[in-house]
Amino acid sequence: MTATAINPSQIPSATRARRFAQAMKGFLISPRWLFVIIALVVWQTYAVFRNSRLIPTPVKVGATMWRILTSGIFFEQLAASMTRILIGFSLAMILGTIIGILMGSRKSYDQFFKAMVILGLALPGLIYALICVMFFGISILAPVTAILAGSYPFVVINVAEGVKSLDKDLIDMSRSYKIGRGKIVRQVILPSLLPFILAAIRNGFAIAWKICTLVEVFGAVSGVGYMIKNSFDQYAVYGIVAWALMFGGVMLLIEYGLLVPAERYLARWRPKVKQVI
Amino acid sequence: MAATAVSVKDLVKCFGDLRVLDNVSFDVEESSLTTIVGFSGCGKSTLLNVLAGIETTTSGIAEVSSSKNLSARLGYVFQSPRLLPWLTIEQNLVFVRPDAVDEATHLERVHKYLEMVGLKNVRHKFPYQLSGGMQQRAGIARALCIEPAVLLMDEPFSHLDEITAGGMREEMLRIWQETRRTILFVTHDMQEAVELGDRLIMLDYHGRIFVDIKIDLPRPRNLTDRVFIEFYSDVVRHLQAMQTIRAEELAALGVS
Amino acid sequence: MSVAVNVSPNSTSLAASKRFAKSFKGIIFHKGWLAILMVLVIWQIISFFLGGRGLVPSPARTAATMWGVLASGEFFVQLGDSLVRLLIGFVLAMTLGMIVGVLMGSRWFWNEFFKDIVILGLSLPGLVYALLSVVIFGTKLLAPVMAILFASYPFIAVNIREGVKALDKDLLDMTQAYKIGKWKVVQQVIIPSLLPHILAAIRTGFTIAWKASVLTEVFGATSGIGYMIRFNFQMFAVRGILAWSLLFGGVMILIEYGILVPAERHFARWRPQILEEV
């Protein structure tokens, strides 16, 4: 018989290097750069042609981004926003996980919370932002409460789904082997819940930072949203674009650099991971 | 001497460097039932796909002809039923109406063949509401309702449990004797091949014809008859010879 | 053509009315009402204790405001303005999203080409599009339309891409073996298998679209629901904000669960199981 199964640890380093080079080549020679070039050229030409204060050139946006980055303002404001997001989102995770577990385990809880969760999913973050700003002014309670109210429903639906998909047969199997309760929770229930919790973090976090930005637009004296609002008030389109792209970039980095790989790792025992893009 | 329904001459089919069919030549008589056997990946399904026009030939000829008043149409029964899930059983059969046939005539045929396979009273159901065996029957009715010159069948019963498959085989033979369609039947099951066919073609690992024999057993065939068992043993001996050759080839290539 | 009629097992009018009564009873005695009732009671208690400051209007006063807005007809005037913008922007977003999605689903090149911009588009908040289009287009109709277009097309593209990728090659081979014409294949094979994905695209895209349109109206419009919400915000009228947003949210939930979800279910009735979302 031929040995077809290849153990990764047996791959000689030369092959590994070649594989890395191939991956790099795949990254560098990709139509994605064609898009970037076309977009930049079209944007630059249009901006120069229009010659309007309202349409900044990509060069100017780039310069603004560089300035914000090197002067350290970006990290200052990012830190202010991140503090609010983390506090608000941690609370949303706690509340969402509790309700999600309740909804997943009992039908009556599911019915009880369902209408509220649907309403919560449907209402725009704007409403939470405006109302919290009116209640709490520029205190930190405003973003925290708005994030909590806006992102917990997304945590709920993911956690509830995870609890509903728990395999009762596996728990019965563990019981038949007389495995202790703590061990069942640690080795059976938690591992099957983890991918869903990670998905909850990913979806909820994406909503959380958007709501935080909104709150900062309407009522804050610091944070990325506040800086975007400042640029808006001065009709500085380049400022809006620069701040939005950089903040969006950081959030994408967190999502695709941290959360997606973590989710994939935790769900690696599943036959197929549903990949959105 | 009956007329030729399918003629394949020097057929070669390659996927990149891989040659799955190598110089395959054979003619099939009209109204006969020919079974084609071979190992998975030896190109049996590709042969049918080439005949059906789903794949192109690399070189050689594969054509279907007809002497009777039939146009050279093909009915294809796949391994999985491949019914359109959003259409009812009847709509699935209506769907394949050839351009040359008018709607009323086709609908008449649809009902005739649904009756023949015993699905007339479930014709308004969606495929998912039917069992696997019934879905496969619908696939057969779909192939028959275009009144094809040749019926191609690609392991149509391999997804079914053995008891259902046995019943389906009997039913298929009945339909074949009723309609006298030419059938090319691909399978990996030697016993099924000997039970059903007038003739058996065995492909080897390189996509070449290894054995091409007539099966002169009387019908209905009984799997416990001495003549059947003797013939079947012969076929198995061919198979073993093929495996010996394969083992020698691999040894020559230095693969342990 | 024959019509499939024998699907429903008990189609006598008596059984139908019984079933209706049962589902009606299900709605009336649904535990969801208990949750809503509890929220209302807690809200009433809080507003009772803080009532003096006017920041927390009681549910009764909020309902009165809602009624006032509804009865005077003002709600429908503003809703009309918002819906016109929403529909124009959304139709454009559907068109762009379908084109990008089909390209991404069918060819590797286009998938790589559009991938980055679609991911960026999915993640940037609607706020950014709203502010940019208000600065650039002011209070013109183009402002909400552009904001809606750019905020919601990525969600449509992603759904359509999934649908195109999920097309069953075996079925397409089958149509080739039976020599079915191209147009018939598009009509009877490709469109039906894309339909559930198109409807999902409409549903997610629409949700994003109306949120983006409200935001645009908040920052730069002289009419529409978003404008009314901003107006109330500036007047410090919490009950106005609540009344307008609850009414508008209600209409959107009605559109989603009254039209879009049933449509999705109808077009997926040939499937063995319908994926039920919350």
Side-chain angles (χ1 to χ4, degrees), chain C residues 146-197:
Chain C
M146 292 308 257
I148 293 167
L149 169 61
F150 284 106
S152 71
Y153 92 88
F155 293 86
I156 295 159
V158 170
N159 273 295
I160 301 294
R161 169 184 174 272
E162 287 307 304
V164 173
K165 289 193 98 168
L167 279 181
D168 192 344
K169 191 165 175 301
D170 281 354
L171 286 184
L172 295 177
D173 277 353
M174 182 276 286
T175 63
Q176 208 183 339
Y178 282 94
K179 312 265 186 293
I180 311 281
K182 263 220 172 87
W183 179 232
K184 201 169 168 192
V185 171
V186 169
Q187 269 182 313
Q188 304 230 30
V189 183
I190 294 180
I191 290 180
S193 42
L194 279 185
L195 251 184
H197 295 270

Side-chain angles (χ1 to χ4, degrees), chain B residues 3-60:
Chain B
T4 307
V6 175
S7 83
V8 176
K9 214 173 172 84
D10 304 327
L11 177 64
V12 177
K13 174 68 190 173
C14 301
F15 290 111
D17 291 336
L18 189 69
R19 189 171 272 230
V20 289
L21 289 172
D22 190 1
N23 267 318
V24 173
S25 301
F26 64 91
D27 287 331
V28 169
E29 281 173 19
E30 216 156 69
S31 303
S32 69
L33 202 172
T34 306
T35 51
I36 300 172
V37 291
F39 298 89
S40 17
C42 77
K44 329 182 278 287
S45 303
T46 311
L47 179 62
L48 294 195
N49 283 346
V50 168
L51 277 167
I54 296 174
E55 308 271 6
T56 54
T57 59
T58 305
S59 69

Side-chain angles (χ1 to χ4, degrees), chain C residues 243-257:
Chain C
W244 280 96
S245 47
L246 284 177
L247 280 175
F248 191 53
V251 170
M252 292 303 141
I253 289 183
L254 216 66
I255 292 180
E256 185 169 346
Y257 289 89

Side-chain angles (χ1 to χ4, degrees), chain B residues 52-54 74-78 80 82-88 90 94-97 121 124 126 128-129 139 142-143 146, chain C residues 1-7 169-171 173-180 184-185 188-190 192-193 269-273:
Chain B
I54 296 174
L74 281 167
Y76 201 150
V77 181
F78 303 91
S80 56
R82 296 201 195 179
L83 299 167
L84 298 176
W86 44 85
L87 297 184
T88 61
E90 181 179 285
V94 168
F95 174 73
V96 296
R97 177 178 65 85
N121 47 1
H124 294 310
F126 287 111
Y128 82 89
Q129 294 169 306
R142 176 175 65 185
I146 61 170
Chain C
M1 283 260 53
S2 59
V3 190
V5 280
N6 64 342
V7 183
K169 191 165 175 301
D170 281 354
L171 286 184
D173 277 353
M174 182 276 286
T175 63
Q176 208 183 339
Y178 282 94
K179 312 265 186 293
I180 311 281
K184 201 169 168 192
V185 171
Q188 304 230 30
V189 183
I190 294 180
S193 42
R269 72 193 182 287
W270 46 267
R271 283 194 192 170
Q273 73 204 59

Side-chain angles (χ1 to χ4, degrees), chain B residues 185-215:
Chain B
F185 190 101
V186 159
T187 176
H188 62 258
D189 181 340
M190 298 296 159
Q191 188 174 306
E192 185 179 47
V194 177
E195 185 189 346
L196 295 178
D198 287 331
R199 174 187 178 188
L200 181 144
I201 294 174
M202 193 187 289
L203 295 177
D204 71 5
Y205 287 93
H206 304 285
R208 292 180 300 223
I209 292 182
F210 186 75
V211 173
D212 184 350
I213 41 173
K214 265 198 133 45
I215 307 175

Side-chain angles (χ1 to χ4, degrees), chain B residues 160-187:
Chain B
L160 305 176
D161 63 87
E162 189 42 45
I163 295 169
T164 312
M168 293 285 286
R169 270 180 220 122
E170 265 173 44
E171 208 168 323
M172 192 200 93
L173 285 175
R174 176 180 63 77
I175 291 170
W176 173 60
Q177 272 148 2
E178 242 172 78
T179 61
R180 300 310 294 178
R181 297 265 171 253
T182 314
I183 297 182
L184 262 183
F185 190 101
V186 159
T187 176

Side-chain angles (χ1 to χ4, degrees), chain A residues 1-2, chain B residues 255-256:
Chain A
M1 278 310 297
T2 40
Chain B
V255 185
S256 56

